[in-house]
Amino acid sequence: MVPPVTRDAELINDLYNVILIFAVVVFVLVEGLLIYSVVKFRRRSADEMPQQIHGSRTLELAWTIIPAIVIAVIFGLAVDTMGRMTARGTLSNPVAHVHAINDVAARQRVERAQPVDLVIEVTGRQWVWQYKYPGGDGVTTSEELIVPANKNIRLDMTAADVIHAWWMPELGPMIYVNPGEMSYVWFNVPPGDYIGQCNVYCGVAHARMISKVKALPQAEYDEWYAQQAAASSAPTRPGDPKAGKNIFMNGACIACHYIEGTKAQGKVAPRDLTNFATYPTIAQLDGFENNAENLVKWLRDPQAVKPGTAMPNLNLKAQEIEDLVAYLLTLK
Amino acid sequence: MASISIPIPLRERAKSGVLGWLATVDHKKIGIMYMVMSFAFFIAAGLMALLIRLQLAAPNLQVVDPNTYNQLFTMHGSVMIFLFTIPMLVGGFGNYFVPLMIGARDVAFPRLNAFSFWITLGAGLVMLIGFLFGARSDAAWTAYVPYSTKSFSPTVGMDIWLMGVILLGIGSTLGAVNFLVTVYSMRAPGMTAWRIPMFVWAMATTAGMVLLATPVLTAALLMLVADRNFNTQFFTTNRVQLWQHMFWFYSHPAVYIMILPAMGIISEVIPVFSRKPLFGLRAVVISTVLIGLLGFTTWVHHMFVSGVDPAIERFFMFTTMVIAVPTGVKVFNWLATLWGGSLNFKTPLLMCLGFLATFVIGGISGVMQGAIPIDQYVHNSYFVVAHFHYVLFGGSVFGIFAALYYWGPKITGRMFDEKLGKLHFWLMMIGFNVTFFPMHFLGLQGMPRRIATYDPGRGWELGNLIATIGAFLLAFSVLIFIINAIKLRHGEPAGNDPWEGNTLEWSTASPPPEYNFREIPTVESDRPLFDERMRMPQL
Ligand code: HEM
Ligand SMILES: [Cu+2]
């Protein structure tokens, strides 16, 4: 296993090592008996007739009862480990599920479960993890989660589309992140970079849904956070989504594009724009990430970005482009 | 072994030629068609596996694009399970040998039997033709919602996959009814419960499981079809676990549907090649039935990290581990059968030894994963891929090859080439372990399953390269089997009973005549032919 860095991961690792000893013993026993029989009891002559033994009650009882005891011991060890993983809080598991996002009572149980220094909201979507920091500074990150080291962190996770799973082998237990539900994970790690991956198949780019955690010493973290907060409170782009919608619905866009519940019912463009803002890329173009800058480039001259695309250059004005960008990014 | 004469039923004489095959209701011909069909699917799914392994041989390869890769592993898994292992064991060997082993002239409902085959073949062709023409599903063989719903898998490939699996379910449910009635009501005189051959016990248990489990899967699939096409809301408004419960309620037992018949085969072959009775016959029968029952109590172990109530999880952790006990009993009984025997290392026995040696590893890693904290680490990782291939390949496929080498002479009347058979065994044994053993480590190193590629620097390069080399060795060994099968035409005539078998199928000609036995045999022990041989004057 990868070297554990949290107490939960350590507990899992210890359990694994103990069970591995049982496993090796059983393996050696069975393979040993097998090899011994194969070597010892080969047929010597064509008419050799071994003793016809039909069974033995004692032996059979022995190899029912002894494995049953071994199994009971392993079961006990596993339950014990689960108990210890819980001992930190009142929750039954260091990872937890709540089956409805609005289940207040369950949510309170989670809140009481462990002392927590920082809570981060996580959304898993095809194919990226997005992190939202508390405090109303609008700090968000995607792909990399940056946390203060040696602090109790709780992740409040849900999925925007399909099931994903949070798996960071060094940090402890894995958990599914289901749409319409909440999953919680607690961890506390020394400074360092940790890497893991989405662990439920979630579509084309599932292999690229990497999760990274970067734990910084408190001072560095504070510095990083201040920077982010300043950046996000800086004036946003100049576009007006209402004006953008207007341009979209009264311009050439609707001839080709489809947006549910609007008069844009075109079917020429391959992708429906209803949830455009959730798409990872623009025009299904590898590496052309869906963000405001790229969207500006695209609207200014689609042919330059994706030669041969069916979308023509609409000769939009700069302000029109900004408004359209603002509108398109509201389509979630 | 006394015999009694039961008149051969009046039925128009079998037609010969192509029409004879198409119109046949003879359980043996249907069995052969199942075997040929499933073997063809095995080759297809094996080729997909090679592509999968090629893509993963090194980091960031682009042998196929990620979309195609995802369709490939979806189809590989679906075909291996639904179109190869289950039809081969149940439809192929079950059909051919259950009536012969219980001294019957056919199955209870021959026409229904033919119908089951054609519906299975039809479903398989639908799935595969859809695949070849680009209507591909990519939702993995588990088809978890919401990924498999219309919003995320809008393509018709998903619907084709669903229709295919539904039809397969119908075929196998009907087949199961047929087996149960056949074994219940058509045994030769004197074949009491404890004299029923192990393979037949295994098939009957399997049929019972199919009957209980398959309708649940079929219901789930129909609900998904309705969600996708008729705007119902079974899986869209409910919690995502509903699908998982219904799916695994079938698919966990399905693992035993794939392994019990193979265990039955092993229990037939080892005694014959050791010249000893099966050690503790009754314990083996009881453990078979117990595994069949317990198989229905473990499905939640597939959902330990998906959000099931922790108290329920503990219960299922317990049942999951308990099932290892009857399985262990079987393993030790087989070892005790070998012990003190007179072992004749023909290919069928080698395949059984391969089964034993590798299945144990799958069993052990199964118990390890059964522990919830361990599962919270290895779930959905390559450790799991290693584990289930040790069970399904190391178990079922070795069992299937044991059966092909053991019963091939009965079916064709010709002997396989032993040299090629042994070469096949050794290459397969080595290739198999080289392919799948490193996957344990890959999983422990954090490699998830179902990823189309990976970046360098995570410590996965070597293991993947080795696994890919192993896969090609494995494929090569299967090629040797195919050559051996082609050469079978010119093989030595087998005679009725080349291996000194114990069970009734060896008392009739090879290949058996249309109605199996000229006279229905009477049975006086669990090894009728062994007794017969012992009574014969020594020549
Ligand atoms: C020819 C030898 C085989 C090779 C090299 C092979 C290889 C693989 C690999 C590498 C995967 C993992 C794909 C992934 O998760 O990324 C896989 C998946 C799988 N294999 Fe095999 N396999 C072989 C034979 C079999 C057999 C005989 C069976 C069953 C009887 C089987 C059943 C499955 C199943 C059920 C999956 C899971 C598919 C999914 O994730 O949806 N395989 N195989
Ligand atoms: Cu994901």
Side-chain angles (χ1 to χ4, degrees):
Chain A
M1 292 172 90
V2 295
V5 298
T6 65
R7 190 165 150 277
D8 288 332
E10 231 162 66
L11 285 167
I12 295 178
N13 199 51
D14 293 348
L15 179 67
Y16 174 80
N17 287 333
V18 177
I19 297 184
L20 188 62
I21 295 173
F22 284 99
V24 169
V25 170
V26 174
F27 174 78
V28 169
L29 178 76
V30 173
E31 306 286 353
L33 286 171
L34 187 64
I35 292 170
Y36 181 82
S37 316
V38 167
V39 174
K40 186 79 196 292
F41 302 113
R42 44 180 59 249
R43 187 168 296 177
R44 315 266 163 200
S45 67
D47 56 358
E48 182 183 41
M49 183 52 69
Q51 215 187 338
Q52 299 296 298
I53 303 165
H54 286 266
S56 147
R57 186 146 299 178
T58 337
L59 274 177
E60 285 172 55
L61 271 180
W63 63 57
T64 310
I65 292 170
I66 297 172
I69 295 173
V70 173
I71 291 294
V73 171
I74 294 178
F75 177 76
L77 287 169
V79 171
D80 178 58
T81 299
M82 289 168 77
R84 284 190 222 206
M85 286 163 77
T86 334
R88 295 179 308 160
T90 58
L91 214 74
S92 51
N93 229 323
V95 291
H97 268 281
V98 169
H99 286 303
I101 287 190
N102 305 323
D103 185 338
V104 179
R107 172 82 202 188
Q108 282 171 346
R109 250 184 295 125
V110 169
E111 311 248 296
R112 280 198 305 271
Q114 335 258 340
V116 174
D117 302 316
L118 178 62
V119 176
I120 295 164
E121 284 174 31
V122 184
T123 307
R125 58 172 80 236
Q126 290 172 319
W127 292 272
V128 68
W129 295 101
Q130 294 171 329
Y131 307 101
K132 184 158 171 266
Y133 289 73
D137 304 322
V139 176
T140 59
T141 65
S142 63
E143 277 163 21
E144 198 167 37
L145 170 64
I146 294 171
V147 295
N150 303 316
K151 291 279 152 119
N152 293 331
I153 315 284
R154 188 179 86 216
L155 304 184
D156 293 9
M157 303 194 283
T158 190
D161 35 47
V162 299
I163 306 173
H164 301 277
W166 175 260
W167 187 34
M168 301 291 287
E170 296 150 292
L171 304 198
M174 142 192 352
I175 193 168
Y176 277 20
V177 178
N178 297 325
E181 301 186 0
M182 293 298 295
S183 311
Y184 302 89
V185 169
W186 289 256
F187 62 83
N188 182 329
V189 289
D193 287 316
Y194 309 100
I195 187 163
Q197 227 162 312
C198 172
N199 205 17
V200 175
Y201 173 68
C202 59
V204 190
H206 167 58
R208 295 298 186 200
M209 191 161 164
I210 311 282
S211 18
K212 288 185 182 148
V213 171
K214 189 185 204 59
L216 300 174
Q218 185 73 46
E220 278 177 47
Y221 171 79
D222 290 340
E223 194 181 315
W224 170 83
Y225 188 84
Q227 254 173 24
Q228 295 293 309
S232 70
S233 61
T236 44
R237 304 188 70 86
D240 170 8
K242 281 216 190 79
K245 183 167 184 184
N246 224 343
I247 299 169
F248 195 98
M249 297 305 159
N250 297 308
C253 314
I254 57 171
C256 297
H257 286 288
Y258 178 90
I259 298 176
E260 206 172 282
T262 69
K263 69 179 193 182
Q265 297 288 321
K267 290 281 189 186
V268 176
R271 279 202 304 188
D272 140 6
L273 296 183
T274 311
N275 300 310
F276 174 75
T278 66
Y279 294 162
T281 59
I282 296 167
Q284 290 168 292
L285 205 56
D286 268 347
F288 196 55
E289 205 187 315
N290 184 0
N291 56 34
E293 291 82 61
N294 282 342
L295 201 46
V296 169
K297 277 189 216 154
W298 173 257
L299 293 177
R300 203 180 291 137
D301 189 0
Q303 296 293 334
V305 177
K306 189 179 185 182
T309 176
M311 175 150 160
N313 185 339
L314 298 166
N315 298 315
L316 298 158
K317 296 193 201 68
Q319 184 58 42
E320 285 175 334
I321 290 179
E322 287 297 347
D323 293 343
L324 279 167
V325 168
Y327 169 60
L328 289 170
L329 291 180
T330 63
L331 297 173
K332 296 199 177 137
Chain B
M1 186 176 63
S3 297
I4 52 169
S5 254
I6 292 180
I8 291 176
L10 278 176
R11 196 196 281 162
E12 65 280 25
R13 283 210 57 77
K15 300 183 185 68
S16 52
V18 178
L19 199 62
W21 285 94
L22 293 185
T24 191
V25 292
D26 177 357
H27 72 96
K28 297 186 292 299
K29 281 191 168 173
I30 293 175
I32 292 174
M33 292 196 292
Y34 265 114
M35 289 180 216
V36 172
M37 173 195 80
S38 1
F39 200 82
F41 286 132
F42 175 59
I43 303 294
L47 292 175
M48 295 176 199
L50 288 184
L51 275 175
I52 293 175
R53 280 310 331 162
L54 262 187
Q55 169 98 341
L56 296 179
N60 287 331
L61 288 187
Q62 269 276 13
V63 177
V64 293
D65 62 82
N67 253 318
T68 312
Y69 181 89
N70 297 339
Q71 294 156 353
L72 277 174
F73 76 68
T74 297
M75 212 52 188
H76 163 76
S78 313
V79 172
M80 280 293 187
I81 286 177
F82 295 125
L83 290 169
F84 163 58
T85 315
I86 297 179
M88 176 66 97
L89 285 166
V90 182
F93 300 131
N95 253 311
Y96 200 105
F97 289 104
V98 166
L100 279 167
M101 291 174 99
I102 61 173
R105 290 213 151 113
D106 205 329
V107 291
F109 310 114
R111 276 163 225 279
L112 188 69
N113 200 19
F115 179 70
S116 298
F117 169 75
W118 289 108
I119 203 173
T120 307
L121 178 64
L125 289 180
V126 165
M127 278 168 78
L128 228 70
I129 290 173
F131 184 80
L132 287 179
F133 288 94
R136 302 178 189 138
S137 152
D138 72 339
W141 84 282
T142 48
Y144 270 23
V145 297
Y147 187 76
S148 55
T149 59
K150 198 100 188 170
S151 328
F152 303 100
S153 299
T155 63
V156 68
M158 191 68 221
D159 291 300
I160 288 183
W161 184 91
L162 287 165
M163 285 322 296
V165 182
I166 290 170
L167 290 175
L168 289 170
I170 295 171
S172 63
T173 311
L174 295 177
V177 174
N178 215 338
F179 276 122
L180 284 174
V181 178
T182 305
V183 175
Y184 184 75
S185 63
M186 296 176 70
R187 300 194 305 273
M191 187 170 281
T192 56
W194 298 119
R195 292 179 188 164
I196 295 176
M198 261 332 291
F199 178 69
V200 177
W201 264 114
M203 283 306 312
T205 311
T206 304
M209 298 184 81
V210 170
L211 210 54
L212 262 170
T214 314
V216 177
L217 177 71
T218 307
L221 295 165
L222 286 171
M223 285 154 75
L224 185 54
V225 169
D227 271 8
R228 292 175 56 84
N229 298 298
F230 312 116
N231 290 322
T232 53
Q233 304 276 311
F234 293 111
F235 299 115
T236 37
T237 53
N238 275 312
R239 294 179 3 210
V240 294
Q241 273 95 359
L242 178 60
W243 170 268
Q244 294 169 31
H245 281 296
M246 293 184 82
F247 179 82
W248 289 115
F249 186 81
Y250 165 82
S251 290
H252 191 79
V255 175
Y256 298 100
I257 290 170
M258 289 182 274
I259 199 72
L260 281 178
M263 290 172 156
I265 291 164
I266 303 301
S267 307
E268 295 295 336
V269 176
I270 289 181
V272 169
F273 290 85
S274 316
R275 275 204 184 128
K276 279 181 65 197
L278 183 64
F279 194 93
L281 174 73
R282 290 182 184 211
V284 179
V285 171
I286 292 168
S287 65
T288 300
V289 178
L290 259 183
I291 290 175
L293 292 172
L294 287 173
F296 282 97
T297 63
T298 64
W299 81 90
V300 172
H301 70 214
H302 295 275
M303 302 168 63
F304 280 162
V305 302
S306 88
V308 175
D309 188 274
I312 295 176
E313 286 185 346
R314 268 170 230 219
F315 169 76
F316 280 92
M317 169 159 84
F318 181 72
T319 50
T320 297
M321 291 186 172
V322 164
I323 207 165
V325 175
T327 313
V329 168
K330 276 177 179 295
V331 169
F332 285 111
N333 276 303
W334 290 323
L335 286 171
T337 310
L338 292 168
W339 193 271
S342 163
L343 305 186
N344 186 12
F345 293 105
K346 290 285 171 16
T347 316
L349 181 64
L350 290 181
M351 289 293 172
C352 293
L353 299 175
F355 175 109
L356 271 175
T358 49
F359 178 72
V360 164
I361 299 176
I364 293 174
S365 60
V367 173
M368 296 175 87
Q369 284 170 69
I372 292 175
I374 309 265
D375 188 63
Q376 287 175 333
Y377 187 94
V378 299
H379 179 90
N380 268 354
S381 74
Y382 259 78
F383 191 89
V384 174
V385 178
H387 158 72
F388 69 71
H389 283 89
Y390 267 88
V391 175
L392 293 180
F393 200 116
S396 311
V397 178
F398 273 86
I400 285 169
F401 279 116
L404 285 172
Y405 281 102
Y406 177 60
W407 280 323
K410 174 55 57 182
I411 299 171
T412 62
R414 303 270 172 182
M415 299 301 285
F416 279 105
D417 181 329
E418 267 297 314
K419 278 212 189 84
L420 281 180
K422 291 203 162 92
L423 184 65
H424 169 202
F425 166 73
W426 283 110
L427 285 178
M428 189 160 95
M429 186 72 183
I430 296 168
F432 169 76
N433 284 292
V434 172
T435 309
F436 294 106
F437 206 74
M439 293 188 188
H440 291 110
F441 300 106
L442 288 173
L444 293 172
Q445 285 304 113
M447 178 163 164
R449 73 194 282 200
R450 296 173 177 162
I451 54 170
T453 189
Y454 53 93
D455 285 327
R458 310 272 304 264
W460 306 341
E461 288 93 337
L462 185 63
N464 273 303
L465 183 62
I466 295 176
T468 300
I469 294 171
F472 279 84
L473 203 56
L474 198 52
F476 184 64
S477 77
V478 176
L479 201 63
I480 290 179
F481 171 76
I482 295 173
I483 294 172
N484 206 349
I486 293 171
K487 282 185 52 176
L488 201 56
R489 267 169 195 284
H490 310 293
E492 272 178 50
N496 288 3
D497 183 14
W499 312 118
E500 302 190 349
N502 293 331
T503 34
L504 292 179
E505 76 272 26
W506 303 107
S507 70
T508 186
S510 310
E514 199 187 345
Y515 283 103
N516 296 351
F517 303 97
R518 207 136 17 106
E519 291 175 335
I520 296 292
T522 311
V523 178
E524 279 151 17
S525 83
D526 58 314
R527 287 191 297 169
L529 261 71
F530 182 86
D531 303 342
E532 183 92 331
R533 263 198 311 280
M534 289 297 103
R535 269 201 296 270
M536 265 188 341
Q538 296 291 314
L539 298 176

